Amino acid sequence: MNNLREPIAPAVEAQSAEAFAHYLKNTASRIDVKTEAHALQSGARVGISRAHESAHLHVAGEAAYIDDLPELDGTLHCALGLSPIAHGRLTALALESVRAMPDVVDVITGADIPGVNDCGSIIHDDPILCDGEIRYVGQPLFAVIARNRDAARRAAALAKSVATITEAAPVLTPQKAHELGQYVLPPMHLERSTNEGGARAAIDKAPHRLKSTFDLGGQEQFYLEGQISYAIPKEDGAVHVHCSTQHPSEMQHLVAHALGVHSHMVHVECRRMGGGFGGKESQSALFACVASVAAIRLRRPVKLRLDRDDDFMITGRRHCFWFEYEVGYDDDGRILGAEISMVSRAGHSADLSAPVMTRALCHFDNAYWLPDVSMHGYCGKTNTQSNTAFRGFGGPQGAIAIENIIETIARNLGRDALDVRRVNFYGTDANNVTPYRQTVVDNVIHDLVGQLEASSDYRARREAVNAFNAQSTVLKRGLALTPIKFGISFNVKHFNQAGALVHIYTDGSMLVNHGGTEMGQGLNTKVAQVVAHELGVSFGRVRATATDTTKVANTSATAASTGADLNGKAAQDAARQIRERLAVCAANRYGGKAEDVRFGNDLVQVNGQSIPFEKLVGEAYLDRVQLWSDGFYATPGLSWDKDKMQGRPFYYFAYGAAVSEVVIDTLTGEWKLLRADVLHDAGKSLNPAVDIGQVEGAFIQGMGWLTTEELVWHPQSGKLTTHAPSTYKIPTANDCPPVFNVQLFEGQNFEDSIHRSKAVGEPPLLLPFSVFFAIRDAVASVGSSSCNPPLRAPATPEAILRAVEAVQAGQA
């Protein structure tokens, strides 16, 4: 992707300097920057473009991650001995040679775990260390604890020679698992019928029918900071675990189970992560459990930091999906009935495959009204790593299937795909109920797409692309506009809750702690802004501390794009309680009514007087007013029947759309993204600069999933062969388009979210669908206007070349 043939390069290079200047010139208007002076005048602390609260530490290299923490005296290091085969039985482990290696202190097997040898997130089917059944290449068989990390890794590398295994044939693909009826949990079915006979009858009666399959790859999270846990034994059998995790409370529970103790004996702390993207929601558990068991067993601190290759080999990633579908539609491309089977590669255990598939099924509709639909979800059990959460959590997999269908329908009818999308959009007063029976009450997709179509000059560029392709035989361009509608909330109701603590000290400074985790997404920045706004003080007065199970208990994972929604509301609740107490104190001291007291710009306006905030705080302390408070929030109005797959699983929807233009080389399959125009609905943004950054990052990350990031397992051994940066290619700065226009859609949330904002963590990852379908459009231009290239995702140069050759051979 980065080394295009010579004919493409000059055109791109000529644009680059001018495009970069254009980018800089328009930054202020794109982000809607407001100065600190403006903020002080208005009293606003939200809706302000602020730098990330740790940005200065990141730049200076002073932001401390777990491996940066000073190691306590006597710290030992752990490494894992991994299975060399994908399926079989472990009949013996000759560990004497491992124990005899230099500097080795101990070797631990599953039998040495004092509590439960399981770290399954929902279903208890995932052993911490092998329980006899070999499930995949890379499964941890034993743990080595040594005086230094290199010694531990050298000893762990003996796993292949010390393990006696009876090998069996592995199941590696979701198609094979589906063929065998081998699943990690029962199949799911979601259906909606508006006419007698349902989807089947609607398809059979339709003027046109489409029947096909689609193959969609998975994606490695590739967080910069790998999996790591540092466990420190405490008095009376307690343990303090520094863990790079998105879900400290789950780590607390699983470590307690592994140790056979109560949760109050386990203290989990996480100041920040170097990225998570879902890969540290459930799968940090194995490493936290092993480190903790070793620390308690040896009464020494134990650190377990994975090598990147081992991280790839042990942990799971985004589920790849295989789709088989049949659709009926009319002459305008309006979908009348659809039936689809989705088969995911779940891996060897359930992990989070059930909610991932649920979300995939609930996002098959994307932005479209599907009157009669029958969906079936199968989580294939394979002898591969157990796949898990990844940004979007099944939503991207479900939504891209309907986008692929609409693209195909448009080509079959000889129509522009945007026109076919429009006739299928959800309505505002009718045709606005999802297949799972939730009414879409906040639909802005018509206005948003119309605005982007105009600002991106879509129609004129479509004509220009067609003209270019008519005169160019080797290079072909493609253009696509794709929309998104993404549901926000956990699709398990009880996870939609959060807690927070706010402390005010007598000098007027504040400390806020909440149950969310910071992984670079700016959550702590937004929560601090919310607290500063609620108490009418400057941002610099507020500091966010590490997520800590001893402060806020029973927290939900920082996932499902709910971090700011949940924790922002909880922190706002805590700050509001303190503000009300301070208002009463001010009225008692200076007269007037408490309800008339106003806070803003570090001042308190009371009975005609202006009191410095810190002065009132000091007086409140003297009056014995409580200057700290806890806050709580639970998302209202949610419901879900998991058996019927009906209800209101989402509090609201986030919308967006993107236009992408690409050029491909039909001789090599290489391609380049020339321009991307993005318009995303963040509601009334808490921090436009942070949100723009999230949109840009999600776009490039999603583009990588659909184009360059290919996961390959050896068809016989079952080994993941793309397990390092040398073979697994994430996007780089060179892959960003020279013209990248990103704007936030003007508006506010229909629902009472935190300051009427909307989530931006996951939804923008669906925006680069436009890149994939622009590539497909370019490939199609090699043939007739109605041809449908057999392009699978990721659209690597090899996949593009195969699709081009299929079109040229008349097989599309």
Side-chain angles (χ1 to χ4, degrees):
M1 178 175 168
N2 299 322
N3 299 303
L4 287 163
R5 286 169 52 84
E6 190 63 28
I8 299 180
V12 174
E13 289 172 2
Q15 298 176 31
S16 297
E18 181 181 352
F20 186 62
H22 171 80
Y23 176 88
L24 293 177
K25 180 180 178 181
N26 288 280
T27 296
S29 62
R30 292 183 321 111
I31 300 180
D32 188 26
V33 174
K34 297 177 181 177
T35 65
E36 183 67 18
H38 180 274
L40 287 172
Q41 291 172 6
S42 67
R45 294 297 179 269
V46 295
I48 305 300
S49 289
R50 285 201 141 278
H52 189 287
E53 50 93 24
S54 292
H56 62 294
L57 301 175
H58 294 151
V59 172
E62 295 179 0
Y65 297 88
I66 291 173
D67 203 35
D68 299 316
L69 299 177
E71 293 180 4
L72 298 177
D73 186 41
T75 293
L76 301 172
H77 295 263
C78 184
L80 301 171
L82 310 182
S83 168
I85 64 109
H87 191 206
R89 294 292 303 179
L90 177 65
T91 56
L93 274 174
L95 296 174
E96 295 78 11
S97 59
V98 180
R99 292 190 173 95
M101 289 287 286
D103 289 319
V104 169
V105 175
D106 199 4
V107 181
I108 296 174
T109 67
D112 298 315
I113 294 174
V116 180
N117 181 20
D118 182 84
C119 58
S121 181
I122 299 175
I123 300 173
H124 303 305
D125 64 346
D126 200 344
I128 299 167
L129 296 174
C130 182
D131 58 2
E133 180 187 2
I134 301 292
R135 298 158 172 251
Y136 66 101
V137 176
Q139 179 181 358
L141 306 180
F142 59 87
V144 177
I145 298 89
R147 292 183 179 86
N148 60 73
R149 186 167 177 267
D150 286 344
R153 292 189 63 208
R154 288 192 186 97
L158 297 177
K160 185 174 182 179
S161 61
V162 302
T164 302
I165 299 170
T166 302
E167 197 167 353
V171 174
L172 301 175
T173 67
Q175 294 95 321
K176 184 64 176 178
H178 188 45
E179 178 187 322
L180 297 172
Q182 182 173 298
Y183 311 116
V184 296
L185 47 96
M188 304 177 186
H189 306 283
L190 199 171
E191 299 181 302
R192 191 256 299 278
S193 299
T194 60
N195 297 291
E196 186 177 351
R200 183 68 264 163
I203 294 169
D204 290 341
K205 294 175 183 176
H208 307 280
R209 278 176 285 183
L210 166 66
K211 186 175 184 180
S212 189
T213 63
F214 181 53
D215 198 13
L216 177 65
Q219 185 180 22
E220 166 64 31
Q221 290 90 357
F222 216 105
Y223 24 67
L224 292 182
E225 177 198 32
Q227 297 280 3
I228 181 171
S229 286
Y230 185 29
I232 303 167
K234 296 294 183 178
E235 64 182 24
D236 203 23
V239 64
H240 183 183
V241 187
H242 295 276
C243 181
S244 185
T245 180
Q246 297 171 235
H247 201 343
S249 286
E250 183 174 339
M251 299 308 104
Q252 179 189 33
H253 300 156
L254 292 172
V255 167
H257 293 159
L259 294 175
V261 300
H262 289 297
S263 291
H264 66 207
M265 301 293 283
V266 181
H267 172 195
V268 178
E269 181 178 353
C270 179
R271 171 61 183 94
R272 61 172 61 85
M273 285 168 280
F277 307 115
K280 296 176 181 175
E281 181 174 344
S282 63
Q283 298 218 345
S284 44
L286 188 152
F287 315 106
C289 289
V290 170
S292 299
V293 167
I296 294 299
R297 176 183 170 96
L298 298 172
R299 301 301 301 156
R300 300 267 293 275
V302 175
K303 180 188 286 188
L304 199 175
R305 175 170 68 86
L306 286 190
D307 173 83
R308 178 68 66 180
D309 290 82
D310 287 350
D311 201 322
F312 263 84
M313 296 301 293
I314 297 170
T315 62
R317 43 200 58 86
R318 185 188 299 281
H319 295 68
C320 71
F321 270 58
W322 181 74
F323 304 95
E324 188 173 25
Y325 56 84
E326 189 171 1
V327 177
Y329 57 97
D330 64 17
D331 293 339
D332 293 323
R334 186 175 291 104
I335 295 174
L336 306 175
E339 184 164 12
I340 187 167
S341 291
M342 306 183 183
V343 187
S344 70
R345 180 191 269 123
H348 70 89
S349 68
D351 196 84
L352 297 173
S353 292
V356 165
M357 181 57 75
T358 299
R359 190 170 280 267
L361 293 170
C362 288
H363 281 76
F364 174 63
D365 62 325
N366 195 18
Y368 309 113
W369 159 250
L370 304 176
D372 290 272
V373 62
S374 180
M375 295 178 274
H376 316 283
Y378 306 90
C379 301
K381 184 174 183 178
T382 56
N383 295 113
T384 56
Q385 295 83 358
S386 189
N387 285 325
T388 188
F390 195 124
R391 196 175 193 174
F393 202 78
Q397 292 97 312
I400 199 171
I402 193 67
E403 295 299 335
N404 191 65
I405 288 168
I406 284 184
E407 285 279 336
T408 303
I409 289 172
R411 294 203 173 278
N412 287 347
L413 295 174
R415 294 169 60 92
D416 190 294
L418 176 56
D419 297 327
V420 175
R421 288 185 166 95
R422 271 210 170 90
V423 301
N424 283 287
F425 277 163
Y426 274 111
T428 52
D429 299 315
N431 296 344
N432 62 343
V433 179
T434 68
Y436 45 90
R437 312 309 196 268
Q438 177 169 345
T439 302
V440 181
V441 296
D442 58 355
N443 189 0
V444 299
I445 198 65
H446 299 270
D447 293 340
L448 190 151
V449 168
Q451 183 178 326
L452 181 64
E453 179 187 5
S455 65
S456 67
D457 206 14
Y458 174 81
R459 297 294 176 177
R461 288 168 62 196
R462 167 58 67 194
E463 293 180 5
V465 164
N466 292 341
F468 176 89
N469 291 338
Q471 57 82 34
S472 177
T473 56
V474 174
L475 303 182
K476 297 290 184 179
R477 292 197 177 194
L479 185 72
L481 188 158
T482 59
I484 62 167
K485 174 183 70 69
F486 194 92
I488 304 298
S489 290
F490 285 100
N491 49 15
V492 176
K493 180 181 176 181
H494 64 265
F495 288 164
N496 296 284
Q497 59 176 301
L501 294 173
V502 174
H503 295 175
I504 301 184
Y505 298 98
T506 54
D507 64 354
S509 65
M510 301 172 200
L511 203 65
V512 58
N513 184 273
H514 56 87
T517 53
E518 175 63 53
M519 61 193 95
Q521 83 279 39
L523 174 59
N524 284 344
T525 308
K526 288 184 174 181
V527 172
Q529 286 181 269
V530 167
V531 171
H533 183 86
E534 196 66 24
L535 286 158
V537 299
S538 56
F539 181 80
R541 287 185 184 265
V542 186
R543 178 171 176 261
T545 61
T547 312
D548 190 324
T549 57
T550 66
K551 294 179 180 176
V552 178
N554 309 318
T555 60
S556 298
T558 305
S561 303
T562 62
D565 283 7
L566 296 178
N567 297 288
K569 276 284 194 180
Q572 182 187 52
D573 179 43
R576 181 180 293 129
Q577 293 177 53
I578 302 174
R579 189 194 70 210
E580 290 170 353
R581 293 180 201 138
L582 288 173
V584 172
C585 175
N588 289 340
R589 278 183 169 260
Y590 297 98
K593 298 179 181 179
E595 55 266 32
D596 295 331
V597 176
R598 295 292 179 266
F599 295 76
N601 299 325
D602 294 307
L603 297 172
V604 181
Q605 307 297 330
V606 50
N607 197 27
Q609 300 182 62
S610 184
I611 309 300
F613 179 80
E614 61 270 23
K615 179 182 178 183
L616 178 61
V617 168
E619 291 171 341
Y621 172 73
L622 295 177
D623 291 346
R624 297 185 297 178
V625 174
Q626 182 180 331
L627 293 174
W628 63 270
S629 186
D630 62 302
F632 181 77
Y633 176 73
T635 309
L638 302 180
S639 65
W640 183 246
D641 186 324
K642 66 181 180 62
D643 297 319
K644 294 181 179 179
M645 297 199 78
Q646 295 178 10
R648 187 193 177 190
F650 307 121
Y651 187 38
Y652 62 86
F653 296 100
Y655 299 84
V659 178
S660 292
E661 183 174 349
V662 304
V663 59
I664 69 168
D665 187 323
T666 59
L667 300 182
T668 66
E670 293 176 283
W671 68 280
K672 186 74 176 178
L673 176 60
L674 301 175
R675 175 178 169 182
D677 295 80
V678 173
L679 184 60
H680 190 73
D681 168 31
K684 194 174 181 182
S685 172
L686 292 173
N687 187 322
V690 166
D691 287 348
I692 286 284
Q694 285 289 289
V695 174
E696 291 176 338
F699 187 93
I700 299 302
Q701 186 175 51
M703 181 181 76
W705 166 46
L706 296 172
T707 59
T708 66
E709 300 181 43
E710 185 173 26
L711 295 161
V712 179
W713 283 265
H714 191 282
Q716 280 79 48
S717 70
K719 180 180 179 179
L720 179 63
T721 60
T722 51
H723 59 84
S726 58
T727 50
Y728 185 82
K729 309 308 291 182
I730 64 172
T732 69
N734 285 336
D735 298 316
C736 296
V739 180
F740 196 11
N741 301 316
V742 180
Q743 290 187 322
L744 299 181
F745 182 69
E746 292 291 333
Q748 64 177 20
N749 200 337
F750 176 84
E751 298 291 351
D752 183 25
S753 60
I754 183 68
H755 291 287
R756 300 285 177 171
S757 63
K758 287 190 177 185
V760 293
E762 294 173 301
L765 195 130
L766 285 69
L767 294 168
F769 287 178
S770 58
V771 176
F772 177 80
F773 291 111
I775 293 173
R776 192 173 186 260
D777 182 54
V779 173
S781 70
V782 174
S784 66
S785 61
S786 63
C787 80
N788 274 293
L791 184 65
R792 52 91 169 165
T796 61
E798 294 86 352
I800 293 171
L801 191 57
R802 283 194 290 269
V804 167
E805 291 171 346
V807 171
Q808 291 171 335
Q811 298 170 1

